[in-house]
C-alpha cells in the first residue's frame, strides 16, 4: 500500500516558487467562497512520525486566512474528557459550516496506537474503526467535506530524518525517545496503518497517502488535494441545490446525479489555468511506481531453460500438495497490451494438471454480466478447493479501463477500491492463495511487439485498432495503475510488478512468485497439522 509513497519524489525550489503564488491565490479565493457554503471542511493528518503532519498544518494556516480555521491536536484525555464518551471532545471541536478544521492526533490515534503496540486485538480494533467510520458518515451525510492525509516515510527514510534532526542543535528537541521506540516497531505500525486505511478509506472520506520525504512535494500534494476537493464539493453542493429545486425530483436522486455531474465536469471557468497547467507539467515529471522498475532485467537462454524447468517442476509438486490439502489458488494477470500475459499463463499451466485449473479470459461484460454487480462474474468463477483459477484480466478493469475510458463514473471506480479489498480479503480469509501480477513493458517495447504481431499471420488477430488507440492514453493509464497499487497492494496481498521487457525474465519471476506463495501457505497448513497431532497426543 505504501510502495507508491516511497519513490523519492521531489519538487525543485524553482518549480515550487512558480506554482506557489497562483495556487495560494486560488486557495484563498476558494476559502472566501466557502464562507457562504453550507458545509464545513474537516482535514485530518496522521502517519509516520516526522513525515510532515505538523508542518502541513502550519503551511495551510499560513497560506489561508487563519480567522476561519480551527486547529486541534489531541493528547491523553483530561479529567473532564474522561468523564464523557470518547467522541465528546471531537464533537465539541468540529468546525462550523463555512470553516476549515485541521486535526492532528484525532479520533484515529487511540485505536491505532493501541493496535500497533499490541494493546488492542484485531476484533476490538475493527470495532473501533467501525465507530470512526460511522462518525465520519454522520458528518458527511450532513454535507461535511472530509479529507484524510496519511503522511508516509519508509523505514530507512524515517531513520535518516530522525538522525538529521538529532544532529541539528536547533531541531534536536523534536526527536524524543518515543520517536525511536516507534521506529523500532515500524513494521507493527505499518501493519496497523494498512488495516486502518483499508477499513476506513471509503467514500466520501478516503485517505490520501502522501510521500513525506521532500517538503515541497509533500506541500504541493496536500495543497492540490485540498484545492481539488473544496472545488469539487462546492460544485457538487451547488448542483444538488439546483437539481433538488426542480419539481418532482427526489432529493436523494438529485444528490447522486449531482455527485456524478460534479466529478465528471471540467474545472470551473474561474479556476486558474496557470495553476492547472503548472500542476500538470509538474506531475508529468514525477516518477510513478512503474518507472522505478529496472526494465533491463533479463535471463540468458541457458539460464532461462534451466530456471524454467526448475520452477515448473517445483510448481507441479506444490500444486499436488495444495490439491491434497484443499488449498485453492487465484492468480490475477493485468498489464499493458502485448506485455506477455498469455505466454506467462501458458508456462504456468504446463506445470498443472489440466483437470485442476481454469483460465478465465476477461473481456467486455456480456448482457447477462452487465445486468449484475461487476464483481458477480468473478465470484461465479472461483473454483472449488485445491484448484487454480487464473484470470487473464480481472476485476481491476473497474479501476483501469473502465475508469480511463469513462465506462465507470468517478464515484463508481473510487468506491471499487473498497469493494475489491473486501472481495480479496474474503478469499484470503477462506484460506486461498492469491497472487496479483502487473506485467510492465515500456512504450518502445510495446510498439516493437505490435509491429511484430502485424508481421506474423497467426498473431495478427491479437492486434486491434483499440490497442493502437490505447497507446495515446499511456500516461493516463499509468496514473491509474499507480493509484491501483497504492490502494490495493498490502503486505498481506501485494501486487507483484513484473519487469516484462524481456519475456524470459518475466516468466521465471512469475513462476517463482507463485511457488513462494504456495510454499508459505502450505507451510501454515503443515503447522496446523502438527498442532492437531499435539492436541491428539495430549488428549490420549
Amino acid at each position: 500500500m505504501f510502495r507508491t509513497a516511497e519513490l523519492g519524489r521531489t519538487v525543485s525550489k524553482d518549480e515550487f516558487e512558480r506554482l506557489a503564488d497562483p495556487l495560494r491565490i486560488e486557495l484563498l479565493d476558494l476559502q472566501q467562497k466557502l464562507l457562504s457554503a453550507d458545509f464545513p471542511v474537516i482535514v485530518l493528518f496522521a502517519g509516520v512520525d516526522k513525515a510532515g503532519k505538523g508542518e502541513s498544518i502550519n503551511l495551510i494556516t499560513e497560506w489561508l486566512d487563519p480567522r476561519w480555521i480551527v486547529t486541534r491536536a489531541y493528547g491523553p484525555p483530561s479529567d473532564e474528557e474522561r468523564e464523557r464518551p470518547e467522541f465528546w471532545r471531537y464533537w465539541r471541536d468540529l468546525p462550523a459550516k463555512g470553516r476549515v478544521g485541521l486535526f492532528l492526533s484525532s479520533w484515529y490515534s487511540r485505536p491505532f496506537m493501541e493496535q500497533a503496540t499490541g494493546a488492542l486485538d484485531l476484533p476490538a480494533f475493527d470495532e473501533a474503526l467501525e465507530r470512526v467510520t460511522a462518525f465520519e458518515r454522520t458528518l458527511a451525510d450532513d454535507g461535511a467535506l472530509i479529507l484524510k492525509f496519511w503522511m508516509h516515510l519508509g523505514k530507512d527514510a524515517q531513520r535518516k530524518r530522525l538522525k538529521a534532526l538529532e544532529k541539528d542543535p536547533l531541531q534536536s528537541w523534536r526527536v524524543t525517545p518515543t520517536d525511536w521506540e516507534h521506529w523500532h516497531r515500524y513494521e507493527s505500525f505499518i501493519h496497523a496503518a494498512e488495516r486502518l486505511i483499508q477499513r476506513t478509506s471509503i467514500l466520501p472520506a478516503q485517505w490520501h497517502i502522501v510521500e513525506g520525504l521532500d517538503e515541497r512535494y509533500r506541500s504541493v500534494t496536500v495543497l492540490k488535494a485540498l484545492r481539488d476537493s473544496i472545488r469539487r464539493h462546492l460544485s457538487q453542493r451547488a448542483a444538488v441545490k439546483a437539481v433538488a429545486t426542480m419539481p418532482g425530483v427526489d432529493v436523494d436522486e438529485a444528490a447522486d446525479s449531482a455527485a456524478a455531474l460534479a466529478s465528471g465536469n471540467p474545472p470551473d471557468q474561474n479556476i486558474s489555468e496557470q495553476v492547472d497547467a503548472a500542476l500538470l507539467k509538474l506531475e508529468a515529471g514525477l516518477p510513478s511506481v512503474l518507472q522505478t522498475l529496472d526494465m533491463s532485467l533479463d535471463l540468458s537462454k541457458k539460464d532461462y531453460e534451466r530456471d524454467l524447468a526448475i520452477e515448473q517442476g517445483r510448481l507441479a509438486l506444490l500444486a499436488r500438495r495444495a490439491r491434497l490439502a484443499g488449498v485453492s489458488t487465484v492468480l490475477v494477470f493485468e498489464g499493458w497490451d502485448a506485455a506477455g500475459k498469455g505466454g506467462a499463463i501458458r508456462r504456468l499451466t504446463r506445470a498443472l494438471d489440466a483437470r485442476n485449473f481454469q483460465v478465465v479470459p476477461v473481456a467486455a461484460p456480456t448482457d447477462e454480466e452487465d445486468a449484475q454487480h461487476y464483481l458477480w462474474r468473478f465470484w461465479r468463477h472461483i473454483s472449488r478447493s485445491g484448484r487454480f483459477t487464473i484470470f487473464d484480466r480481472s476485476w481491476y478493469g473497474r479501476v483501469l479501463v473502465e475508469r480511463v475510458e469513462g465506462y465507470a463514473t468517478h464515484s463508481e471506480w473510487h468506491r471499487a477500491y473498497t469493494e475489491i479489498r473486501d472481495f480479496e480479503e474474503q478469499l484470503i480469509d477462506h484460506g486461498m492463495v492469491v497472487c496479483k501480477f502487473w506485467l510492465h513493458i515500456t512504450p518502445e517495447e510495446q510498439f516493437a511487439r505490435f509491429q511484430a504481431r502485424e508481421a506474423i499471420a497467426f498473431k495478427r488477430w491479437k492486434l486491434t485498432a483499440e490497442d493502437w488507440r490505447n497507446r495515446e492514453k499511456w500516461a493516463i493509464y499509468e496514473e491509474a495503475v499507480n493509484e491501483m497499487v497504492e490502494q490495493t497492494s498490502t503486505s498481506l496481498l501485494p501486487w507483484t510488478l513484473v519487469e516484462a521487457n524481456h519475456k524470459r525474465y518475466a516468466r521465471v519471476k512469475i513462476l517463482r512468485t507463485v511457488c513462494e506463495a504456495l510454499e508459505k501457505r502450505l507451510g501454515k497448513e503443515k503447522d496446523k497439522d502438527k498442532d492437531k497431532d499435539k492436541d491428539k497426543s495430549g488428549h490420549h
Side-chain angles (χ1 to χ4, degrees), residues 167-183:
K167 290 180 180 178
D168 186 341
L170 299 177
Q171 299 286 337
S172 59
W173 62 270
R174 296 178 58 194
V175 182
T176 67
T178 302
D179 292 326
W180 282 112
E181 181 186 341
H182 290 175
W183 181 81

Side-chain angles (χ1 to χ4, degrees), residues 494-534:
W495 274 97
T496 299
L497 305 180
V498 182
E499 302 87 343
N501 262 12
H502 300 282
K503 294 179 180 180
R504 294 185 294 231
Y505 176 84
R507 291 165 181 171
V508 170
K509 178 173 181 175
I510 289 166
L511 276 162
R512 188 170 290 143
T513 301
V514 175
C515 290
E516 289 170 354
L518 278 166
E519 285 175 342
K520 184 177 180 181
R521 176 66 183 84
L522 292 170
K524 291 179 182 177
E525 205 66 28
K526 190 181 290 185
D527 291 340
K528 284 183 187 177
D529 292 339
K530 288 180 180 177
D531 291 339
K532 287 179 183 177
D533 291 340
K534 287 180 182 177

Side-chain angles (χ1 to χ4, degrees), residues 424-436:
E424 293 177 348
E425 188 174 321
Q426 291 184 61
L427 302 182
I428 294 292
D429 287 347
H430 192 67
M432 294 181 171
V433 172
V434 183
C435 297
K436 305 185 295 188

Side-chain angles (χ1 to χ4, degrees), residues 10 31 37 59 81 84 116 119 145 157 240 275 305 337 345 411 443 498:
T10 61
Q31 189 184 22
L59 181 65
E81 290 167 339
R84 294 175 168 88
L145 169 61
V240 168
V275 173
E305 290 174 350
D337 296 325
I345 290 171
S411 60
V498 182

Side-chain angles (χ1 to χ4, degrees), residues 243-254:
V243 176
T245 56
M246 297 179 184
V249 175
D250 181 85
V251 174
D252 290 334
E253 291 181 3

